[in-house]
Amino acid sequence: MLDAFVLKPPKMSSLTIKMIMLVIATVCGVYICSVCLKQISNQTKSSIEVIGRPGIICETNNLNYPYLHYPQPETFSRAECAGNPVRFFVIITMQRSGSGWFETLLNSHVNVSSNGEIFSVMDRRDNVSSIIRTLDKVYNLDWFNSASKNECSAAVGLKWMLNQGLMDYPEEIVEYFNRRGVSAVFLFRRNLLRRLISVLANSFDRHAKILNGTHKSHVHSLEEAETLSKYKPLINSTSLLSSLKETEFTMAQALTYFNSTRHITLYYEDLIKNRTKLADVQDFLGIPHMNLTSRQVKIHKGHLREHIKNWIDVNKTLNGTAYEKFLQLDY
């Protein structure tokens, strides 16, 4: 009899159960999304704070990926500098274009490590793989020489001559530069006749070793510069025009190949005449302004007639051509 008065709970329909499960799933999904968004927001704030560290002067449009890097070297710890961003750069140039002098200027900056003419060694440019492997070592801060600032470098790079594998694999190298965020500094010489004189004189001294049996591409005293400048090369006036045209073409080709990279174009003569150009370079690299210095002394100064053995022939060959301007004193 009592069983007749026991109230049994009504059975839920399958539709009601499905609705409840849907509501629970929706609430859980919203909660998970809110947590994820909060974490992303915190990471973004953290990265902005690191980029804005005091002591690093950067242009606003340069603060974005991929031009700031935080390398983790395999050979040492960056210690307290691990949070400081590093810029990657490469000096693209030709022999006897003032690149040695320019690189000593950069390396006089306390935060810059320019590692020299790394690809002068054949093994490092045998193929694309060896080139990439070498570049990775440099930009990972695992390349050591006298220029290395190690832990607290704010900009790290190298000097790369056009005839040292750079022009052999342009597509692969451009892809690497853009992918790794490497900025290119083009450094050329306007007066290609002066460059030719320097090339010939340097080649002669490589064998003659005028300075007490020692070959020096660059000197640090006026006496050494005067000694080396006494040699006057004989220039082949017959092939001179074609040689100058070929050099111009190579320079133009390099600018075309690497035009899609972030780059700045400099000329040796402009740097000599206007030292404020060095401030532009420091802005480009995103480093604090410093007074950049070099101990190097210029070898061939003054009018070119003092440095060419067959000056009359050369003067006659270039007069009335597009290269006549090279005959004049340009700085």
Side-chain angles (χ1 to χ4, degrees):
M1 228 7 224
L2 293 173
D3 291 343
F5 293 97
V6 175
L7 296 175
K8 295 183 178 179
K11 292 183 179 179
M12 290 187 184
S13 69
S14 60
L15 178 61
T16 303
I17 294 174
K18 288 179 181 178
M19 289 297 293
I20 293 172
M21 294 300 294
L22 179 60
V23 170
I24 293 173
T26 302
V27 170
C28 290
V30 171
Y31 174 76
I32 292 171
C33 287
S34 66
V35 171
C36 291
L37 287 173
K38 185 176 181 181
Q39 289 178 345
I40 292 172
S41 175
N42 289 338
Q43 290 175 358
T44 303
K45 289 179 182 177
S46 174
S47 65
I48 291 174
E49 289 170 1
V50 170
I51 290 173
R53 285 175 179 268
I56 301 296
I57 299 176
C58 306
E59 295 173 292
T60 305
N61 62 348
N62 289 339
L63 293 178
N64 299 322
Y65 179 85
Y67 298 111
L68 288 181
H69 311 276
Y70 299 87
Q72 297 179 348
E74 297 179 359
T75 51
F76 69 93
S77 170
R78 294 190 71 208
E80 70 275 8
C81 295
N84 289 355
V86 180
R87 309 291 182 119
F88 298 162
F89 70 89
V90 58
I91 303 169
I92 297 177
T93 186
M94 305 174 79
Q95 284 84 356
R96 315 311 295 178
S97 296
S99 61
W101 168 72
F102 178 71
E103 193 172 40
T104 60
L105 288 171
L106 287 185
N107 279 325
S108 71
H109 195 291
V110 68
N111 298 126
V112 178
S113 298
S114 190
N115 292 282
E117 210 170 314
I118 289 175
F119 288 107
S120 61
V121 179
M122 280 294 298
D123 291 348
R124 298 168 188 163
R125 54 184 167 99
D126 276 342
N127 49 52
V128 174
S129 297
S130 59
I131 288 175
I132 299 302
R133 188 164 52 250
T134 301
L135 291 173
D136 281 342
K137 193 172 182 180
V138 171
Y139 296 129
N140 200 46
L141 305 186
D142 285 318
W143 192 276
F144 294 103
N145 62 21
S146 59
S148 302
K149 305 297 192 304
N150 298 334
E151 296 90 7
C152 291
S153 289
V156 63
L158 67 146
K159 183 169 64 172
W160 203 343
M161 300 296 177
L162 298 187
N163 62 352
Q164 293 176 350
L166 182 67
M167 304 290 279
D168 296 334
Y169 312 99
E171 292 183 4
E172 294 88 344
I173 295 171
V174 166
E175 190 278 331
Y176 178 91
F177 285 171
N178 288 332
R179 174 169 51 84
R180 293 297 309 272
V182 179
S183 299
V185 178
F186 290 100
L187 176 62
F188 295 126
R189 202 159 180 169
R190 293 188 186 277
N191 194 323
L192 301 182
L193 180 59
R194 282 189 178 270
R195 175 184 174 272
L196 178 59
I197 292 169
S198 185
V199 167
L200 295 174
N202 187 63
S203 178
F204 171 79
D205 187 67
R206 194 180 300 278
H207 303 287
K209 298 180 173 62
I210 298 174
L211 296 172
N212 300 319
T214 303
H215 169 61
K216 290 188 177 182
S217 296
H218 309 99
V219 296
H220 297 143
S221 73
L222 292 173
E223 292 77 13
E224 289 178 326
E226 186 178 351
T227 300
L228 290 181
S229 68
K230 289 178 181 177
Y231 171 71
K232 297 182 179 183
L234 181 70
I235 294 178
N236 187 335
S237 57
T238 304
S239 61
L240 179 56
L241 287 174
S242 59
S243 176
L244 295 175
K245 287 178 183 178
E246 183 179 352
T247 303
E248 274 190 334
F249 175 78
T250 303
M251 290 163 54
Q253 193 174 38
L255 290 168
T256 300
Y257 280 163
F258 298 94
N259 186 54
S260 65
T261 63
R262 178 178 181 267
H263 65 273
I264 184 174
T265 304
L266 305 171
Y267 291 93
Y268 172 71
E269 291 84 353
D270 298 343
L271 291 172
I272 288 286
K273 292 187 291 186
N274 184 5
R275 286 302 185 94
T276 60
K277 290 286 184 182
L278 294 176
D280 296 340
V281 175
Q282 293 178 81
D283 287 337
F284 177 74
L285 295 178
I287 54 177
H289 283 199
M290 288 187 64
N291 180 35
L292 306 182
T293 60
S294 174
R295 293 177 52 236
Q296 287 192 13
V297 177
K298 185 171 176 56
I299 297 173
H300 297 100
K301 297 184 295 184
H303 201 284
L304 287 181
R305 69 166 67 90
E306 305 297 329
H307 303 293
I308 301 175
K309 189 172 184 178
N310 55 332
W311 166 253
I312 295 177
D313 292 339
V314 170
N315 187 65
K316 186 184 299 183
T317 299
L318 297 185
N319 259 317
T321 71
Y323 305 111
E324 183 178 6
K325 58 187 177 182
F326 293 164
L327 299 170
Q328 308 304 317
L329 187 65
D330 48 12
Y331 58 85

